[in-house]
């Protein structure tokens, strides 16, 4: 059974940083795409970044480009999202998602949540002004 568990959310002041973690278990292969999505209050879920273990490539959406860094520790089945210079508009629930059917980290697959079958329950991030 595939399981994704996020951690690292919390309350931070504008300009601060957080590092989100996601641990994956239950995959039968080491090759799977992992992504971070965010759902802000009253908005649809948006793709922030994804990382492919097979092709070792990374995609960033416009919201996180230049401020967020995704990384992966395959040995520990961990994926991280380092978020710097957080702003109040970054407030929301952050989700880790994964799918072994995806191999290329591109906007086509990573910007839309419909391509990912496996999801964590989310971790909440609140950025105060």
């Amino acid at each position: 059974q595939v399981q994704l568990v996020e951690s690292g959310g919390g309350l931070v002041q504008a300009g601060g940083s957080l590092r989100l973690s996601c641990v994956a278990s239950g995959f039968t292969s080491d090759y799977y795409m992992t992504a971070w999505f965010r759902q802000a209050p009253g908005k649809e879920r948006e793709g922030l970044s994804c990382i492919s273990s097979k092709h070792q490539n990374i995609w960033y959406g416009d919201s996180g480009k230049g401020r967020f860094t995704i990384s992966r520790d395959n040995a520990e089945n961990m994926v991280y999202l380092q978020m710097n210079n957080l702003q109040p508009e970054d407030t929301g629930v952050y989700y880790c998602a994964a799918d072994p059917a995806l191999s290329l980290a591109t906007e086509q697959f990573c910007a839309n949540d419909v391509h990912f079958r496996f999801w964590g329950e989310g971790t909440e991030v609140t950025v105060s002004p």
Side-chain angles (χ1 to χ4, degrees):
Q1 182 179 356
V2 172
Q3 190 174 17
L4 301 172
V5 180
E6 305 97 333
S7 61
L11 174 64
V12 63
Q13 287 188 328
S17 298
L18 283 174
R19 187 196 195 203
L20 305 183
S21 300
C22 172
V23 59
S25 60
F27 285 108
T28 57
S29 169
D30 291 335
Y31 296 118
Y32 53 91
M33 181 82 71
T34 311
W36 286 98
F37 285 80
R38 173 177 72 198
Q39 188 160 24
K43 295 188 177 181
E44 292 186 355
R45 196 153 51 184
E46 68 167 318
L48 298 173
S49 182
C50 64
I51 184 167
S52 164
S53 64
K54 188 171 186 178
H55 297 286
Q56 298 296 312
N57 68 314
I58 291 172
W59 172 87
Y60 290 102
D62 289 340
S63 294
K65 203 171 291 184
R67 299 186 300 132
F68 296 174
T69 302
I70 194 170
S71 61
R72 184 169 180 150
D73 182 340
N74 290 330
E76 299 294 331
N77 295 318
M78 296 288 295
V79 174
Y80 305 97
L81 186 68
Q82 177 67 42
M83 305 186 295
N84 298 325
N85 191 24
L86 286 163
Q87 300 299 316
E89 53 266 34
D90 293 315
T91 293
V93 180
Y94 285 68
Y95 296 92
C96 176
D99 202 305
L102 303 174
S103 60
L104 281 176
T106 64
E107 180 177 8
Q108 176 186 2
F109 298 117
C110 300
N112 195 317
D113 60 5
V114 298
H115 298 291
F116 289 85
R117 289 176 291 167
F118 302 102
W119 291 83
E121 294 188 352
T123 185
E124 193 161 357
V125 172
T126 302
V127 185
S128 62

